[in-house]
Amino acid sequence: MNRPVGIFDSGVGGISIALGVRKILPSEDLLYVADQEFSPYGSKSNTIVEARAEIITTFLSQQGCKAIVVACNTATVNSINRLRTMCSIPIVGVEPGIKPAALQSNTGIIGVLATEKTLSSESFQALRSQFSAAVNIEIQACPRFVELVEKNNLNSVETLKIAEDYVLPLIAKGADHIVLGCTHYSFLTPVIEQIVGDKATIIDTAIPVSLELKRQLSRRDLLNPQDRQGLTKFWSSKASEQASEKISQLWGNKVVVADLNLHKDKTVSKSNHISLKQRDC
């Protein structure tokens, strides 16, 4: 079925998921929304995060999306149940890869890097409890990581020092797997690898999420049968020339990021002047 897949995040972190989807499902058209006006979600209230997720999901549904990926751990834990009651199309979320880390750990200790909001959520605590009998799960909130990625500050001395402050305590506790619990953190993988060396394996979620999306689409006979390169369109609730440059660098190709005015009563895309009232999917 030649309808697009919607992907959204508070900012550019979800591009790591979009890159995974592009790799696994190269024929699919993708619509990506970066809610940069409200970034980062990790510092916002649950009410705000859920409201933003609902508005963006409504917009993507109105664009004809056949599935939506909530490419943000914080938005997933705060809103995915509500989004699934809103929509009949598949809604795929992300969660920290604790299961593969627990199954592969030799020391019986794993570390999780995530936002404070993700770590304190009921869904994370439930996930943690599933494996706490098998492994010791050490957690580390990383309040500065999202800011570094949003500013495309990925390889500086400052970034290395901040990453060391977050990661080295987990290594000192014996963690042999480091779980990236936020999609932004994927872009810091080279720095984290530099710190952990051969002491730990890094667990990311982009490919598992992309495979789950493929499974959901295949089960519903929604995969695009056409053998061609899919198109990708980008929006931001705080679009600027700088935003386009940052997203282009992370995406690996020059892209244009359209401005999207996201609020509860009306959503307006300046790229095509479509006015859309919020409604259920």
Side-chain angles (χ1 to χ4, degrees):
M1 178 180 291
N2 190 19
R3 288 166 53 196
V5 172
I7 303 172
F8 77 89
D9 180 31
S10 65
V12 301
I15 292 174
S16 63
I17 300 295
L19 287 167
V21 173
R22 174 58 69 227
K23 180 178 181 179
I24 299 298
L25 297 168
S27 298
E28 300 294 344
D29 293 333
L30 308 179
L31 304 182
Y32 185 92
V33 172
D35 193 16
Q36 292 177 300
E37 183 182 4
F38 282 78
S39 180
Y41 282 169
S43 64
K44 303 297 186 295
S45 69
N46 295 350
T47 300
I48 290 176
V49 173
E50 184 173 298
R52 300 304 294 174
E54 289 185 19
I55 292 169
I56 296 169
T57 296
T58 297
F59 169 73
L60 289 171
S61 298
Q62 291 168 332
Q63 302 307 299
C65 289
K66 60 187 176 184
I68 294 174
V69 179
V70 185
C72 171
N73 293 76
T74 301
T76 296
V77 300
N78 280 279
S79 67
I80 196 162
N81 291 334
R82 166 61 180 153
L83 300 183
R84 285 171 174 161
T85 65
M86 288 172 52
C87 299
S88 59
I89 61 175
I91 306 290
V92 178
V94 295
E95 65 177 22
I98 289 178
K99 181 177 180 179
L103 293 175
Q104 298 169 26
S105 178
N106 292 316
T107 64
I109 304 169
I110 66 173
V112 179
L113 304 173
T115 67
E116 189 75 52
K117 190 166 289 296
T118 292
L119 294 175
S120 63
S121 68
E122 290 183 7
S123 60
F124 177 80
Q125 294 302 324
L127 178 65
R128 185 182 188 181
S129 67
Q130 290 181 38
F131 301 95
S132 58
V135 293
N136 181 24
I137 302 172
E138 299 290 343
I139 61 174
Q140 175 63 59
C142 307
R144 298 197 63 189
F145 269 0
V146 171
E147 174 191 357
L148 291 171
V149 175
E150 288 293 326
K151 292 182 177 180
N152 205 28
N153 185 5
L154 306 180
N155 300 298
S156 69
V157 173
E158 177 193 21
T159 301
L160 178 61
K161 176 62 171 64
I162 291 170
E164 286 177 339
D165 290 342
Y166 294 150
V167 175
L168 287 178
L170 299 178
I171 299 299
K173 292 175 181 177
D176 64 351
H177 285 73
I178 302 295
V179 177
L180 304 184
C182 172
T183 55
H184 279 77
Y185 301 175
S186 297
F187 293 110
L188 297 173
T189 296
V191 170
I192 298 172
E193 287 178 335
Q194 182 179 340
I195 295 167
V196 304
D198 60 359
K199 296 183 179 67
T201 299
I202 298 172
I203 302 292
D204 200 356
T205 58
I207 297 303
V209 169
S210 302
L211 291 172
E212 174 62 16
L213 173 65
K214 182 178 181 179
R215 186 185 72 83
Q216 294 273 2
L217 294 177
S218 179
R219 191 175 71 180
R220 294 169 172 82
D221 197 26
L222 293 175
L223 289 170
N224 187 355
Q226 297 178 347
D227 184 16
R228 49 87 167 175
Q229 182 63 36
L231 304 176
T232 307
K233 185 170 184 178
F234 295 88
W235 283 282
S236 172
S237 59
K238 194 178 181 181
S240 65
E241 183 177 343
Q242 188 179 35
S244 293
E245 291 176 359
K246 291 177 183 176
I247 290 177
S248 295
Q249 290 171 353
L250 296 175
W251 186 246
N253 290 298
K254 185 173 178 58
V255 302
V256 175
V257 179
D259 189 20
L260 187 62
N261 183 9
L262 291 167
H263 53 91
K264 189 168 185 179
D265 298 321
K266 185 166 59 178
T267 300
V268 179
S269 170
K270 292 184 179 179
S271 64
N272 55 15
H273 305 290
I274 295 175
S275 178
L276 300 165
K277 290 185 178 179
Q278 186 186 33
R279 59 173 176 78
D280 286 344
C281 306

